Amino acid sequence: MSRRLAFVCLIVSFVSSSGAASGDDLERFTQLRSAELRYGGRVMFLAVAPGHEDLAAAARYRAVAGAQIRVVYLTNGEGSIVEPSVLFPNQVAAVAREQAYHATTALGADHVFLNLAYLDGASSVEIVRDAWTTDTLRARLRGQVEEFQPDLIIVNGLERPETPRVLASEVLSHLSDVLARIASYRRHVPAVVAVAEARQRARAVESRRTRAERVTNALLASGRAAYAARSAVFPLKEPRYRSLAGYPRTPLAAVSDVDALLRRAAPTSLRSIDSMSRAFADQVSGWRSVPRGTSADRVLRQAVPLLVQIDTWLQVNPRDREPDRRMLLDRRAALEAVRLRVIGAEAFFRVSDTVLTNTQLTYLTIDSVRGVGPAGESQVLFPMVSKGWILNESPENKAALVTGTPYQIVSSRDIPHDLPRELSGLEQNRFRTPWNFFVIHRAAQPERSFSLRVDARLYGAPRFSVDVLTPIQMAVPGERLAVRITNNSRDGVRDTLEVHDAYVRSRPMYFRMNAKGSTEIDTLDLEFDDGYPDGTSVTDVLIGLEPVARFLVRKFPVAVDRTATLAVVGGSGATVTGLAVRRLGVPAQWIDPTNLAASDLSGVRTVVVPEWSGRSLESSGWSALRTFAEQGGRVIVLAQHADVTMALPGSPIGEAVPDGTTDSTTALTIAAGDPVTLGPNPLVSESWEGWINRRVPHRLTLKDVGSEVPVVVGDDAIPGIVRWSVGRGSFTYVNLNLHHQLLNAHPAAYRLLANLTAS
């Protein structure tokens, strides 16, 4: 029995915030602010999943046009596979959402998740409509368009070969209907909707000679760094774009053509404001350092008349002039950012507890605020009071600014739960629910007055949570159930964690959690009775005698050749394949992928390369596998990335393209008499019922080279398993989506793996 223990006690945050964002370099700041003051506009990226958005286009619109960016993700990407890790779909989604959050934050962009189910394979429109109901999809799309009011929408992800065509058609059809409905109310709709196509063109290499190019590249690099583990999602070429019918009616220019797609002449009523804004932008653009002293006073005095004109126009003109109002609101925000940078406004504060449950007390202490002069008045505004939060036991939402004295803040009764990220966090439309307060300073000199928004970075969570990290188990020896317990209350907890069922049990695990924010991960060793019934059952996890969580247990017969001599690249728990081999009980040697070339394979008959792990093998490792096969060994390679697939030693595979045509019901045709499907576990087409996600990750095109294809998929006869000779041995490539099936403990997937490894 093993146990990993981690305590996170009284999370205390020391945070500073300013109008310039801590660490923001001057070149980036001046480029972004001057672009916002000259041009502006709003661009919405509609992406199927995290990693699908065109970051290069987003970086360019942000740096060159000064556009406000919002990336709307239809799904959380829970069905995607990035690395050969043993992560369940909800855990993959949590990782993908966090990466998307950091990528958009690096660009200075907003993000929203629509939280639709990830469809990895859909051969009919009925499948799409069953998962994404028409009313839900349209309501969520409409909400985003009406709230953000974009000038340009860029659609990404539908062009990817793994995206089902019927899904792409549905999304574009509903988007068209939503825009038509909004336009019928005489509301603002984008002039252009650009839809990425599968066709690509060489991505332009920026010269880095201009500041705009340098900032574009810096933003792009920061955004991509957030997706470091998903480098494969970014093509070396950028997509071409076509326009959605009617948006615009004229042919679409290149999506990177900022002038054609965003910039427009200011109306007559705004010519004076536009001229002043551009002149101020020219001044900001020429900064070599942030103005201080009398230079700062001069800049602030120049900004005030422009702010007054903008505020006057916004008050006088009716709200139905949406494009003009949005442009002025965005320019006003840019002006305020410049003013805050010049004033040097920055707040330093502490929060006693950053993770809060319903109606829980925390203390926020503002230690100091830069930019506040000796004369004038300062207040702190807490807008969250309007959503049920309580400030200093009072219904008021503001208080005088007093440094060093804590403000008492009580969370609302229905605080959104951002944590745990893999559970309730997936129900939120943002990675973290924003929690802002404002420091408002009215200075003796009006130009030095400011309103500083500060993100307190508070998180909502349940008082006590029990999360099963390995929710699907098999009734075999050696199964271990990982359970995470988190106590966010201020009450101490001491009890036992265990599984006690008629057919399965574990030893009680004692835990003690005295501090708020304590987290403990316990691993329960499961013991199954010999009479455990075949099938799927649900079992409770108990604290004391109370059920607090549940997990699945599957049991089915599998015939295993225990005389097989097997080696698996990677550890027994590092990949889903390694986990499956351990569960089958096949004696195996575990090989470090970085040391494959030096490994002794003399007593091994078969080597298995787990799913998606081929990139971790160096060229010397693949050479060692070729030599192993030439000497009579067998190499079983499960599904890999396309570049690895086409480079396998002696491979007859000429092309591997991600597949979007198959789904979980596409027919598998099995060659009669092939040893892979005959025994020790006979497999027939009916064996594959209950599959999840698409059947194959890639559509393979085979060269005119001798090979055997014992399994094909669909009417197009996509190779599901390919076997070819290398010297006196062989390579077998399994182009089936076994990753999710093994993770889901699908009987046929385990029986196929047992057949592949049998002597």
Side-chain angles (χ1 to χ4, degrees):
M1 183 180 300
S2 66
R3 178 176 181 176
R4 287 190 296 123
L5 187 62
F7 288 111
V8 183
C9 304
L10 283 182
I11 303 172
V12 181
S13 179
F14 298 84
V15 184
S16 67
S17 177
S18 73
S22 179
D24 198 16
D25 70 278
L26 182 62
E27 181 177 67
R28 182 180 302 191
F29 178 84
T30 55
Q31 174 61 34
L32 293 177
R33 299 295 89 78
S34 60
E36 290 166 351
L37 289 166
R38 287 194 188 99
Y39 313 115
R42 298 187 181 183
V43 181
M44 176 185 290
F45 287 80
L46 184 63
V48 173
H52 290 190
E53 66 273 27
D54 188 344
L55 287 178
R60 179 168 177 79
Y61 275 110
R62 189 77 189 97
V64 178
Q68 302 302 309
I69 306 292
R70 173 176 288 185
V71 185
V72 178
Y73 301 98
L74 293 173
T75 75
N76 295 322
E78 62 270 20
S80 58
I81 303 173
V82 183
E83 295 294 334
S85 56
V86 187
L87 290 179
F88 287 84
N90 64 312
Q91 296 160 353
V92 172
V95 172
R97 284 167 61 101
E98 183 170 7
Q99 291 174 335
Y101 165 73
H102 289 299
T104 53
T105 301
L107 291 174
D110 187 20
H111 72 284
V112 173
F113 299 101
L114 299 190
N115 298 332
L116 298 169
Y118 185 88
L119 289 177
D120 186 63
S123 59
S124 67
V125 69
E126 287 75 22
I127 295 176
V128 178
R129 291 174 179 172
D130 184 56
W132 298 5
T133 61
T134 297
D135 290 345
T136 298
L137 179 56
R138 288 187 178 182
R140 294 181 186 181
L141 287 174
R142 179 178 173 181
Q144 291 305 309
V145 174
E146 288 187 331
E147 177 187 329
F148 189 61
Q149 300 180 11
D151 300 296
L152 167 64
I153 295 178
I154 296 178
V155 184
N156 295 125
L158 301 182
E159 80 285 0
R160 298 172 72 93
E162 66 267 30
T163 301
R165 296 302 92 197
V166 290
L167 184 147
S169 299
E170 279 290 285
V171 170
L172 295 181
S173 174
H174 289 310
L175 181 59
S176 294
D177 291 344
V178 164
L179 295 178
R181 176 65 63 90
I182 294 174
S184 70
Y185 297 147
R186 299 184 181 277
R187 301 293 304 277
H188 174 75
V189 294
V192 177
V193 178
V195 182
E197 294 185 310
R199 296 182 305 137
Q200 297 178 334
R201 61 183 179 187
R203 188 176 295 281
V205 178
E206 302 289 358
S207 65
R208 301 180 63 86
R209 288 178 296 182
T210 68
R211 181 177 62 187
E213 291 169 346
R214 291 194 298 271
V215 173
T216 298
N217 288 335
L219 292 176
L220 178 57
S222 299
R224 285 185 170 174
Y227 285 119
R230 295 187 170 215
S231 57
V233 304
F234 299 112
L236 296 177
K237 296 183 178 181
E238 62 182 335
R240 293 181 182 272
Y241 285 86
R242 62 180 175 85
S243 59
L244 185 67
Y247 299 92
R249 299 185 184 280
T250 56
L252 177 64
V255 73
S256 58
D257 190 340
V258 173
D259 288 297
L261 296 181
L262 275 189
R263 297 176 186 170
R264 61 187 179 87
T268 304
S269 62
L270 295 179
R271 294 279 172 82
S272 174
I273 295 177
D274 184 64
S275 177
M276 292 176 64
S277 179
R278 289 174 179 272
F280 193 77
D282 291 339
Q283 182 178 346
V284 173
S285 181
W287 285 0
R288 295 295 177 265
S289 61
V290 178
R292 292 288 184 255
T294 57
S295 297
D297 291 335
R298 186 164 54 251
V299 171
L300 295 173
R301 284 193 294 269
Q302 290 172 344
V304 168
L306 181 52
L307 284 170
V308 170
Q309 284 209 34
I310 291 176
D311 289 342
T312 301
W313 194 97
L314 291 172
Q315 292 172 6
V316 171
N317 288 278
R319 294 186 61 84
D320 59 355
R321 300 180 64 173
E322 289 177 343
D324 297 336
R325 292 183 63 85
R326 286 187 302 100
M327 181 185 73
L328 291 183
L329 287 171
D330 290 343
R331 291 195 179 183
R332 194 188 194 289
L335 274 171
E336 286 295 346
V338 172
R339 292 181 63 252
L340 290 171
R341 183 74 177 237
V342 172
I343 293 171
E346 189 169 8
F348 298 88
F349 65 99
R350 293 169 285 139
V351 181
S352 61
D353 295 300
T354 56
V355 177
L356 299 176
T357 68
N358 300 347
T359 59
Q360 193 170 67
L361 174 67
T362 189
Y363 294 93
L364 185 150
T365 305
I366 300 176
D367 293 317
S368 63
V369 180
R370 289 180 182 169
V372 174
E377 298 179 354
S378 299
Q379 288 184 319
V380 185
L381 174 67
F382 295 89
M384 295 299 287
V385 170
S386 65
K387 296 185 178 182
W389 291 64
I390 300 174
L391 170 65
N392 291 339
E393 301 180 351
S394 165
E396 296 295 324
N397 65 350
K398 64 179 65 174
L401 172 63
V402 181
T403 58
T405 300
Y407 296 92
Q408 297 181 19
I409 299 173
V410 178
S411 60
S412 65
R413 294 180 181 271
D414 55 351
I415 182 174
H417 290 172
D418 305 302
L419 304 173
R421 299 233 181 268
E422 305 89 347
L423 297 174
S424 52
L426 298 181
E427 300 173 4
Q428 309 304 325
N429 64 3
R430 282 180 168 80
F431 175 72
R432 180 178 58 81
T433 305
W435 204 101
N436 299 317
F437 67 92
F438 293 81
V439 177
I440 303 172
H441 177 59
R442 294 180 177 86
Q445 298 172 283
E447 63 271 16
R448 286 193 171 270
S449 298
F450 64 83
S451 175
L452 175 64
R453 182 175 62 184
V454 185
D455 186 353
R457 296 187 175 275
L458 300 182
Y459 298 83
R463 290 184 178 274
F464 189 82
S465 63
V466 180
D467 314 320
V468 178
L469 303 181
T470 51
I472 299 178
Q473 300 286 317
M474 285 182 60
V476 298
E479 286 292 84
R480 311 177 79 189
L481 186 74
V483 181
R484 180 178 61 203
I485 309 171
T486 304
N487 179 24
N488 288 310
S489 73
R490 290 193 172 87
D491 301 323
V493 180
R494 182 178 63 180
D495 216 316
T496 59
L497 179 76
E498 66 179 312
V499 173
H500 192 89
D501 194 79
Y503 295 101
V504 58
R505 62 198 57 82
S506 71
R507 292 182 180 179
M509 180 76 73
Y510 294 92
F511 67 89
R512 185 173 186 173
M513 309 175 77
N514 293 332
K516 181 184 186 304
S518 300
T519 295
E520 177 172 321
I521 298 178
D522 289 326
T523 302
L524 303 178
D525 294 329
L526 301 180
E527 300 175 2
F528 296 92
D529 287 352
D530 293 338
Y532 200 99
D534 287 353
T536 300
S537 58
V538 179
T539 303
D540 291 326
V541 178
L542 308 176
I543 289 184
L545 299 177
E546 294 294 324
V548 293
R550 313 183 88 184
F551 63 98
L552 288 180
V553 177
R554 301 195 197 278
K555 185 182 179 185
F556 44 83
V558 183
V560 177
D561 181 2
R562 301 191 189 281
T563 66
T565 53
L566 185 67
V568 181
V569 178
S572 61
T575 65
V576 176
T577 305
L579 174 65
V581 168
R582 181 192 62 77
R583 284 173 166 175
L584 288 173
V586 180
Q589 173 184 341
W590 308 99
I591 301 176
D592 182 352
T594 63
N595 196 37
L596 177 57
S599 300
D600 181 11
L601 302 177
S602 57
V604 173
R605 177 72 177 89
T606 304
V607 175
V608 177
V609 180
E611 71 289 341
W612 315 109
S613 63
R615 287 180 173 172
S616 65
L617 272 66
E618 300 175 352
S619 58
S620 59
W622 286 111
S623 297
L625 290 178
R626 173 189 281 274
T627 301
F628 172 75
E630 290 173 343
Q631 295 174 353
R634 295 187 308 161
V635 180
I636 311 296
V637 183
L638 273 62
Q640 304 292 327
H641 296 93
D643 57 329
V644 176
T645 300
M646 292 185 292
L648 293 173
S651 174
I653 301 170
E655 186 177 27
V657 179
D659 172 70
T661 62
T662 65
D663 59 26
S664 60
T665 63
T666 305
L668 273 77
T669 303
I670 301 174
D674 189 89
V676 167
T677 56
L678 275 182
N681 300 280
L683 295 173
V684 295
S685 298
E686 290 74 21
S687 303
W688 307 103
E689 295 178 357
W691 194 277
I692 57 175
N693 295 349
R694 52 190 160 141
R695 293 289 199 193
V696 297
H698 294 104
R699 296 180 68 88
L700 302 183
T701 301
L702 302 184
K703 305 173 187 175
D704 189 15
V705 178
S707 61
E708 300 172 2
V709 185
V711 176
V712 295
V713 178
D715 295 336
D716 296 338
I718 302 171
I721 296 179
V722 184
R723 184 170 54 243
W724 64 95
S725 298
V726 177
R728 293 186 289 112
S730 66
F731 266 72
T732 300
Y733 182 70
V734 183
N735 184 41
L736 295 173
N737 184 10
L738 291 187
H739 177 93
H740 290 105
Q741 318 321 313
L742 294 173
L743 195 62
N744 192 41
H746 189 286
Y750 273 78
R751 290 165 183 157
L752 174 61
L753 184 60
N755 288 0
L756 288 167
T757 57
S759 298

